[in-house]
Amino acid sequence: MSTAPAASRRTTAAALDVLHEIEDRVLWLSSAIVHHANRVRPNPSGLKVGGHQASCASMVSIMTALWFRHLRPEDRVSVKPHASPVLHAVNHLLGELDASYLSTLRAFGGLQSYPSRSKDPDAVDYSTGSVGIGATATIWGALARRYADKDAGGGFTGRQYALVGDAELDEGAVWEAVLDPQVAELGELVWIVDLNRQSLDRVVPNIAAGRLHGMFGAAGWQVLTLKYGTLLETLCARPGGQALRARLDDMSNPEYQRLLRCSAGELRERLPGTGPDAPAITELLVHTDDATLMEAVRNLGGHDLSALDRALAEVDDHRPTVIFAYTVKGYGLPTQGHPQNHSSLLTEDQMRQLAGELGTDLDHPWEGFAADSAAARLCEETAVRLRRDAVAETPPPAIPTDIGRTPTGVATTQAALGRVLLDLTRSAPEAARRVVTVSPDVSSSTNLGGWVNKVGVWSPTERVDWFADDAETILHWRERPTGQHIELGIAETNLVGLLGELGATWSRWGEPLLPIGVMYDPFVQRALEPWSFGIYAGGQSILVGTPSGVTLAPEGGAHQSITTPSLGIEQPGCTTWEPAFALDTEWTLLAALSRLGRPDGGSAYLRLSTRPVDQSLAQVPADPAARERRRRQVVAGAYPLRRQEGARVTIAAMGAVVSEALAAADRLQNLGIPADVVCVTSPGLLYRALDARAGHGAAPDWILDQVFPAERATPLVTVLDGHPHTLAFLATVHHVPSRRLGVTRFGQSGSLDEVYRHHGIDTDSIVGAALDLTE
């Protein structure tokens, strides 16, 4: 793959002058955007608006070199969160963002605090803001793009750039992603690390660059370093220069940062140090004028446009590349290098001084280049070069609502997942062709084995299956570009990161996919934050947590999820279902698939179980119209599983404990206390319906009338294998007395009966709760 057209030309002195002019304007605009939000725009509340002028300044040179020299329309860039004003400044210069928006940073409906694909008015490739996720998104974006292009021959088109703050590399999620075996093959990845050696609160004390170099190198990445700029390199080439280089290389980060706050006289005292080479450095400085010395000490590679240009031209497209670009936080600003400059704001006097230095005007901050200037022409040429064709919308495939199977015997909802996927390949092959499953090394233990055998494992290149002729091999691992299952290492954050990007291909590339990620339910909380961020960024996917709850009794408390059932109520952009029966699983999964890959779509979370349940308890209606009515109720959130004449209590149960609820109803009937049983499939949808009935939101509320009709309002027992607050709100439908059964403490190993009894969700506990409410 070739580099950008401009990168093949030598950067002449005249071209550099124009780039420097644009660099200065980007620095001004990004600083003015933050200044206007905090010091100019009316702020009745008096609360700090915020912004990061110093963090922006350290990225200005990097982004100028990238956008105006190397970027191509097929490339994508993830910009570090605090540099969002720099991105907006660049987009404005390219004519992609009207000046009226530059005064709206962090205002309601204006420019977002951090780059957002879904909320910013200008083009943003990746939503960032959660530390580390923006960087790793490029990895999963690369995989998703290759997968979406597999019918066209695979490979990659366009680089995936990530502009990363060095403090972001402290995030464990970064290294989980970098170390996944597939990543070393993604030559389109180019990470540029803004190595300013500062975090939010301090200058990072230790020199970590060497360790980071080794970690990326060991993972198979090309590592390029831009430490010193042209002026400093020239100074180091003079007599005594090697001693100066060694002194700077060995200097701690805080000591170097302190030099940035020194006058020329102080530099002459501090820079030589006290080592044996101090006289040589002193002699070198004697022959260096003050202005050169002041400029040289902060002349780092990340601010040298020529050095950045050369480094970007050296990227090896056969493996991932990381460029460590040494920078100064706040470069070019009065606050540069100060240890507490992370979110500090320039005063009006400082902004006027900066305007004078950069040839702009604080009173007219958004004025553009003169129309006939070289800078204006370069902006126009760059805009034309980077212009992208509109993404042609491809409608997602039609999803059946009911495959027609009526499960019998004993089955689990987890096993039903694999069964439905296989059925889909026969009943709706076009839809099945767009399904892609992802798991973190748990395919077989989450019942995806049959599906994997059917569709194969995705790989950029075909690999030999050395166990294909082994008669005892049950799970066939056929890796090829046409496979539909992607297996990652055991890192749940990687799985949901990839889910988010697979779920965004409909809007990025016009290729709607139907991604389903499967992981053990106890680890959903570990993955929730990056999955939630993926939903915020427009990724639509299905997350399946299985096995779940204390029903996984022998595994003990470490593998028993408690709080996950409430996710559907609390997670925006997501609908949760916890089916009790295999057919409920089919209907809810199909409903979830039908909402993927579309502008009005959304994500889903299915909580499944390994508990075998007698499928006859579902009492699926034989009449087609009655069956369809049941299906609609299942998808809408609940259905009446048993109605008793003269019912005195209602048991609302969800998931695996429906068996106990029905057994309790039988015993209560024998005690002369008829009980209705409601099977809840989605607490989130019921909550939205109840909220809409109160005039909040626009969700349909018909399901409440069908499942909880006013004429059957009775005291209510709720029970689930999860925290009881999940269903507690159901008592407010008709304001009835209630008892809420569920899991509120860590579990322990044991048989199913023992563990249910321990948590008070067994049949005896349900009967006792009903008696408390009726006697």
Side-chain angles (χ1 to χ4, degrees):
M1 184 177 70
S2 64
T3 54
S8 62
R9 302 193 301 268
R10 181 180 177 82
T11 311
T12 64
L16 273 177
D17 287 343
V18 178
L19 280 178
H20 280 302
E21 188 175 355
I22 291 175
E23 177 187 32
D24 287 348
R25 187 57 57 90
V26 172
L27 175 61
W28 168 255
L29 287 172
S30 60
S31 300
I33 287 170
V34 177
H35 175 77
H36 193 284
N38 286 273
R39 302 201 188 276
V40 179
R41 192 170 68 222
N43 182 9
S45 72
L47 296 175
K48 177 182 176 181
V49 176
H52 303 83
Q53 290 169 322
S55 294
C56 287
S58 65
M59 287 297 304
V60 165
S61 305
I62 294 170
M63 293 178 68
T64 300
L66 180 58
W67 258 264
F68 291 90
R69 286 284 294 169
H70 289 265
L71 207 60
R72 300 163 306 171
E74 61 266 32
D75 298 333
R76 297 295 182 269
V77 187
S78 172
V79 177
K80 79 171 190 177
H82 292 160
S84 65
V86 183
L87 177 60
H88 298 310
V90 170
N91 282 341
H92 170 65
L93 292 177
L94 297 180
E96 298 293 331
L97 183 67
D98 188 79
S100 62
Y101 283 105
L102 300 182
S103 60
T104 67
L105 179 70
R106 302 191 174 204
F108 187 80
L111 300 177
Q112 298 300 297
S113 306
Y114 311 118
S116 172
R117 286 189 72 224
S118 58
K119 297 184 182 296
D120 271 317
D122 52 339
V124 173
D125 291 334
Y126 286 99
S127 296
T128 60
S130 186
V131 177
I133 291 179
T136 59
T138 58
I139 292 176
W140 314 125
L143 277 177
R145 189 170 191 176
R146 288 195 183 205
Y147 186 93
D149 289 344
K150 66 180 182 177
D151 290 341
F156 69 87
T157 304
R159 287 178 177 167
Q160 298 275 349
Y161 290 95
L163 309 181
V164 188
D166 53 354
E168 288 191 79
L169 298 183
D170 291 343
E171 286 288 338
V174 169
W175 299 104
E176 287 183 353
V178 166
L179 293 175
D180 192 90
Q182 298 186 67
V183 174
E185 301 177 18
L186 302 178
E188 60 266 50
L189 292 177
V190 181
W191 286 15
I192 304 175
V193 179
D194 172 16
L195 198 64
N196 59 47
R197 294 174 277 191
Q198 282 186 240
S199 60
L200 189 150
D201 293 324
R202 60 175 181 159
V203 177
V204 178
N206 297 319
I207 300 173
R211 175 169 53 87
L212 293 173
H213 291 184
M215 293 167 71
F216 275 102
W221 290 51
Q222 177 191 24
V223 181
L224 303 176
T225 301
L226 292 177
K227 188 164 189 180
Y228 301 129
T230 303
L231 178 60
L232 192 50
E233 290 285 5
T234 301
L235 195 61
C236 289
R238 297 178 185 175
Q242 289 305 310
L244 174 61
R245 182 189 297 274
R247 167 84 170 115
L248 290 171
D249 285 345
D250 294 339
M251 192 178 290
S252 71
N253 292 340
E255 184 180 4
Y256 171 76
Q257 294 285 106
R258 182 63 184 86
L259 296 180
L260 301 176
R261 311 294 298 172
C262 291
S263 65
E266 291 173 315
L267 280 176
R268 296 181 188 280
E269 293 179 8
R270 290 173 177 264
L271 194 52
T274 58
D277 290 331
I281 299 173
T282 300
E283 182 65 19
L284 172 63
L285 300 186
V286 167
H287 300 286
T288 305
D289 63 79
D290 285 355
T292 300
L293 177 58
M294 292 288 287
E295 185 179 352
V297 78
R298 51 184 49 78
N299 180 228
L300 300 180
H303 300 301
D304 190 301
L305 294 174
S306 295
L308 285 163
D309 193 47
R310 289 192 298 271
L312 287 166
E314 293 174 10
V315 169
D316 178 3
D317 284 326
H318 296 92
R319 55 178 171 158
T321 296
V322 59
I323 301 173
F324 287 98
Y326 282 73
T327 61
V328 174
K329 197 164 189 173
Y331 183 76
L333 303 181
T335 57
Q336 63 181 316
H338 193 281
Q340 277 85 53
N341 68 5
H342 179 81
S343 56
S344 65
L345 299 170
L346 299 187
T347 65
E348 182 169 339
D349 288 343
Q350 288 174 323
M351 285 295 293
R352 291 195 181 279
Q353 176 188 344
L354 183 66
E357 294 171 358
L358 299 178
T360 57
D361 184 353
L362 182 60
D363 297 322
H364 302 91
W366 321 128
E367 281 192 354
F369 295 116
D372 59 348
S373 67
R377 287 195 296 273
L378 180 56
C379 289
E380 184 177 350
E381 292 168 2
T382 302
V384 171
R385 171 168 55 82
L386 296 180
R387 192 158 295 142
R388 298 172 181 171
D389 295 331
V391 175
E393 288 190 15
T394 301
I399 306 292
T401 57
D402 187 345
I403 292 174
R405 180 189 296 272
T406 302
T408 58
V410 175
T412 71
T413 54
Q414 176 177 288
L417 170 69
R419 179 76 264 169
V420 174
L421 291 177
L422 287 174
D423 285 344
L424 201 63
T425 62
R426 292 182 285 270
S427 62
E430 177 57 28
R433 190 179 70 82
R434 291 188 177 270
V435 171
V436 52
T437 55
V438 187
S439 70
D441 199 33
V442 292
S443 300
S444 55
S445 56
T446 54
N447 282 93
L448 285 182
W451 164 258
V452 172
N453 286 343
K454 174 77 173 179
V455 302
V457 178
W458 180 81
S459 172
T461 57
E462 187 155 357
R463 295 185 174 131
V464 176
D465 179 8
W466 293 105
F467 289 87
D469 58 349
D470 186 340
E472 296 183 7
T473 297
I474 299 175
L475 181 62
H476 299 290
W477 210 253
R478 293 188 291 268
E479 298 179 85
R480 55 199 178 194
T482 57
Q484 292 180 239
H485 176 74
I486 302 177
E487 188 89 356
L488 300 172
I490 303 178
E492 286 76 17
T493 55
N494 287 352
L495 179 139
V496 294
L498 178 54
L499 269 189
E501 291 305 319
L502 289 168
T505 56
W506 66 274
S507 58
R508 288 194 192 280
W509 323 117
E511 285 291 332
L513 298 176
L514 308 177
I516 302 172
V518 180
M519 68 171 67
Y520 288 173
D521 195 66
F523 308 138
V524 165
Q525 290 180 102
R526 181 186 301 174
L528 180 58
E529 193 262 344
W531 187 53
S532 175
F533 201 83
I535 294 173
Y536 167 80
Q540 299 171 2
S541 61
I542 300 171
L543 181 61
V544 178
T546 183
S548 63
V550 299
T551 300
L552 194 61
E555 294 288 342
H559 281 72
Q560 296 173 356
S561 52
I562 296 173
T563 61
T564 50
S566 62
L567 292 181
I569 299 177
E570 301 165 5
Q571 176 59 53
C574 169
T575 300
T576 186
W577 283 285
E578 184 167 347
F581 300 102
L583 189 54
D584 297 354
T585 305
E586 175 192 309
W587 288 337
T588 54
L589 179 62
L590 294 176
L593 288 170
S594 71
R595 301 180 68 242
L596 301 180
R598 53 197 319 134
D600 59 344
S603 296
Y605 160 57
L606 269 67
R607 189 175 190 251
L608 305 183
S609 174
T610 50
R611 183 187 183 182
V613 173
D614 180 359
Q615 298 302 298
S616 68
L617 296 176
Q619 299 177 347
V620 179
D623 180 82
R627 178 186 175 102
E628 171 59 15
R629 185 172 186 268
R630 165 71 69 85
R631 186 200 66 80
R632 291 183 68 246
Q633 291 173 336
V634 167
V635 171
Y639 58 94
L641 185 54
R642 180 179 297 180
R643 294 291 199 206
Q644 296 282 33
E645 185 69 29
R648 294 174 54 194
V649 67
T650 299
I651 303 171
M654 186 167 75
V657 296
V658 165
S659 297
E660 277 66 32
L662 289 169
D666 289 339
R667 286 173 51 182
L668 288 168
Q669 182 72 24
N670 292 334
L671 292 172
I673 304 174
D676 284 348
V677 178
V678 170
C679 183
V680 175
T681 54
S682 176
L685 290 177
L686 295 182
Y687 183 85
R688 292 175 210 172
L690 187 60
D691 220 26
R693 177 164 289 183
H696 307 292
D701 64 355
W702 60 266
I703 188 65
L704 298 177
D705 293 326
Q706 292 193 7
V707 178
F708 299 106
E711 65 272 16
R712 301 191 71 87
T714 61
L716 179 68
V717 177
T718 61
V719 58
L720 75 155
D721 183 359
H723 199 283
H725 83 270
T726 307
L727 300 180
F729 71 93
L730 291 177
T732 67
V733 174
H734 295 300
H735 302 284
V736 295
S738 68
R739 281 289 307 277
R740 300 155 300 280
L741 306 182
V743 181
T744 59
R745 56 194 186 278
F746 290 113
Q748 56 183 305
S749 299
S751 69
L752 193 64
D753 289 343
E754 290 171 326
V755 171
Y756 276 15
R757 189 178 308 114
H758 173 72
H759 290 287
I761 57 174
D762 59 323
T763 302
D764 284 351
S765 297
I766 299 172
V767 171
L771 292 175
D772 288 343
L773 291 170
T774 57
E775 291 186 349

